[in-house]
Amino acid sequence: MTTNIFDAPVPDTSSSTAPVLRATDLSKEFFGVRVLHGVSIELYPGRVHGLVGENGAGKSTLMKILAGVYQRDGGTVEFNGEPVSFSHPVQAMDAGLATVFQEFNLLPERTVAQNVFIGREPRRGGLVDQKGMVTRTAALLKDLGIDFIDPAARVSRLSVAEQQIVEITKALSHDAKVISMDEPTAALAGHEVELLYAIIRRLAARGVAILYVSHRLREIFDLCDEITVLKDGAFVSHTPAAELDTAELVRLMVGRSISTYFPSALEGTVPGDTRLQIRGGGNDWIDGIDLQLRAGHITGLAGLQGAGRTELAEAIFGAAPFTRGTLAIDGREARITSIRAAVRSGIALITEDRKAQGLALGQSVLNNALLAVRSVFSRRFAAAAAALPGVLNTLELSSRGTDQEVQFLSGGNQQKVVLAKWLLTKPRIVVLDEPTRGIDVGAKVAVYQLIRELARDGVAILLISSELPEVIGMADTILAMHDGRIVAQLPAGSSEQDVLAAAVAAPIGGTP
Amino acid sequence: MNVIRTLLSPRGAVFLLLAGLLIAVTVISPSFAEPGQLIRFIQRVAPIAIVAIGQYFVIVGGEFDLSMGSLITAQVVIAGNLIGQDAGRIFPVLALMLVLGVLVGLVNGLLVTLLKVPSFIVTLGMMLALLGGVMYWTGGAATGNPVDSFRQLGRGGIRGVPVIEILPYSVLVMAAVLAAAIWLTRTSFGRTVIALGDNPRAVRYAGARSWWVTTSTFVISALTATISGILLVGYAGVHPKVGQGYEFIAITAVVLGGVVLGGGRGWVVAAMAGAFALEALFTLLNFAEVPSTLRDGIQGVIIIAAVAYSASPLGGAKRKAAPPAPPQTSPPDGKEPVAPAHLGS
Ligand SMILES: Nc1ncnc2c1ncn2[C@@H]1O[C@H](COP(=O)(O)OP(=O)(O)OP(=O)(O)O)[C@@H](O)[C@H]1O
Ligand SMILES: [Mg+2]
């Protein structure tokens, strides 16, 4: 294995106990392209091992090889000291190696208990012992310190965070010695992340080894005892977390140091005329919206989960139009009653969930990127098709050509395809709903840079984000939403505390 | 290696299957391979291949059209009764048939998209309505017989062609329909249809008029049924049984061509090859003296086998995205009021 100067010695505790899982020299190819080569990793009981790297570095692939979803092309895996080779996730699970994938494998119409014991239901006199299943699930949940999930509740009624807990419970019911988690917090709200932390710490205390993948470096430092960095499918370093800081970790991940996460406004950016003006806007989900977006100006929108930020974005975009109030674009009154009308008026929405609304996953990069232009501005199609390579280049999309299906791109590159789709429509008002979710630090900086460039070119921007540093770092004006209303407006550079306080405060006069 | 992979994938497997079947037929009956026989085989398949092409657009866009067979029957009966022995009526009646085709497609499409009734139900209703109309009109018996000049379209051809002697018009029509279909799949419209079958929300969020795109696929499918009906008048005559079951044959052919049910993936040429493979199989069974009463059963087995094959890892399963997120995770689109429980924590 290659070592480099950043490869600090593994702490002593590791040599005292044996690793529960040791993968050596793993390699994997897809259609002749190496996505993993010579990667080794060791997991120790009771320790949380962070796995980080840029989009497409091979983190998910590594996890899937360990879990038996993909078969490795080379290398060895030892589990409990024995060489293993799982051909199916269920086999790995039975052996005690569980994985919580980003897409859950739960049956929504079955109960929590049925999901936990699926495929090996306890029997009693030949029949499934429903009651026993519920009691045993309740016990497992209690072990995790969870008392708010009813084992007899249907999974479809649970929130994302709760479903994740069910997945973890399922792993525990198999007496898992190793649990890997792939970006488990990507869809969680702040307080749910805290809950997950607590569960992970509890699991570690019981001697479970955890493999944890996340793009949120703060979580990596909060949780992990040691950190392995991958880049372009190759091993970069393995270091105790205590010996790293964010700047150093970023440098290991992207191969260069990033000095400014949030680029400052570009030269030539001049806040101009009002592009979008909403007065008293509302519908079933939001109310009393007064909002002004100006050319060259970035408006940040903060708020808790459920505050109505996405609903506001969808109202502007015509997906769930305003039913009250007035809306003007460039000073002229406009009625945006459909997505098509919004796109025609020069509005673009980068949606929060790229797999649900952003991309047709089975189609090529080309066809996804051109989808909006060809649907709405067919006359500009030829020009857009000609501009496409340039746009993808600026976004630094890494794909195997524009014919590749987007489902085979890593998360960050998928997001770039979504951005390309909207850039090609030459929008004048851009709404970005959680634009950096699931993308790596390098790509984040690229997105910020792009936002700045749009602003310079006179686009009005509304930036919605759950990550306060992002809103604060980028926005010229910060709005806070609560309960479907805009409750506060703060100047650029406000502190996180101030924004958070504004976002949790009830609006003046209370809510109806 | 890559060639083998392509041939084993649903997209390529149908061509392999077709080649195998044609060889098998030739082994049993060597005269099948003679150019004259072969062209007659193509002529026989043409009406089926054409409806398979129409059905392809509906299926790849994520829907179904069960009304094609009845529409063929209706068109055949209209042609038989309204044209009669008066050659001067050919063009007015042809125009009427086209209008009916477009109308049926529009009604199917608009009911599916605007009233959001599943296409399975809408086109089943259309199938019964058309069939009912035909039965009412004809009393269930063979009636009418259009002039020979009209029937020439389905049964005649260009004579004196070297090697094959006669080049049937229906083969030309099929080639034209195929060329148009291939062209269409490469246009923005065609790309949008496939994307729509893949992820309708993403298409809607791109600003597309998805209702109109879907409706257009039903119009295309109804038009192909109309063309097929015109050819069948000549080839099979006028009878309320002509066209019966064509919707299932078309669906089987499309599935056999590796087009994914539910949409988003598939190649129109392969769908047409599916029609040929299916007919080659029936020809083979014929030569092998398998009773024709088994046909339906065999067709059923083929549908299931083809769908199962494309769902198997060998056939490239797992290529479709993960199932849609459960209700809570999907951002407001189904739009439920902001749940107070999520607030202020
Ligand atoms: N099934 C597949 N077929 C072809 N290529 C694949 C497949 N799965 C992954 N890849 C490719 O392998 C590389 C590594 O992908 P992987 O998903 O492991 O990255 P990742 O580190 O998890 O990235 P992200 O942070 O974006 O999730 C990428 O270039 C991706 O395009
Ligand atoms: Mg990943």
Side-chain angles (χ1 to χ4, degrees), chain A residues 103 156-158 160 163 191 285 305-306 311 314 317 320 339-340 355-357 359-363 374-376 405 407 422 483, chain B residues 188 191-192 194 198-199 201-202 204-209 264-265 319 321-322 326 328-329 331-332 335-338 342-343 345:
Chain A
E103 294 95 18
S156 60
R157 310 209 152 272
L158 305 183
V160 189
Q163 295 188 18
H191 65 286
W285 302 278
Q305 194 108 356
E311 286 76 0
E314 299 214 316
F317 192 57
I339 292 173
R340 194 178 176 79
K355 289 198 171 145
Q357 304 113 340
L359 296 167
L361 288 168
Q363 311 305 312
R374 73 167 24 132
S375 300
V376 184
E405 289 176 23
Q407 62 182 321
W422 289 111
D483 211 3
Chain B
S188 280
R191 302 292 185 195
T192 311
I194 300 180
D198 192 347
N199 184 354
R201 278 176 82 191
R204 200 166 70 81
Y205 270 73
R209 264 178 295 189
R265 186 180 295 280
R319 320 262 318 260
Q328 282 82 358
T329 63
K335 281 297 171 195
E336 42 190 303
V338 177
H342 283 272
L343 292 172
S345 45

Side-chain angles (χ1 to χ4, degrees), chain A residues 68-131:
Chain A
V69 176
Y70 293 154
Q71 305 309 311
R72 59 179 182 265
D73 296 335
T76 55
V77 180
E78 277 173 46
F79 184 53
N80 284 330
E82 312 241 316
V84 290
S85 180
F86 301 118
S87 53
H88 196 276
V90 174
Q91 214 182 354
M93 187 92 154
D94 286 340
L97 201 159
T99 306
V100 180
F101 296 104
Q102 234 183 308
E103 294 95 18
F104 304 143
N105 295 309
L106 298 174
L107 299 173
E109 291 312 313
R110 304 268 187 103
T111 66
V112 172
Q114 283 166 344
N115 268 288
V116 168
F117 285 98
I118 188 139
R120 46 197 180 97
E121 291 82 357
R123 308 248 155 199
R124 209 174 165 178
L127 295 173
V128 174
D129 179 8
Q130 299 285 354
K131 219 193 249 161

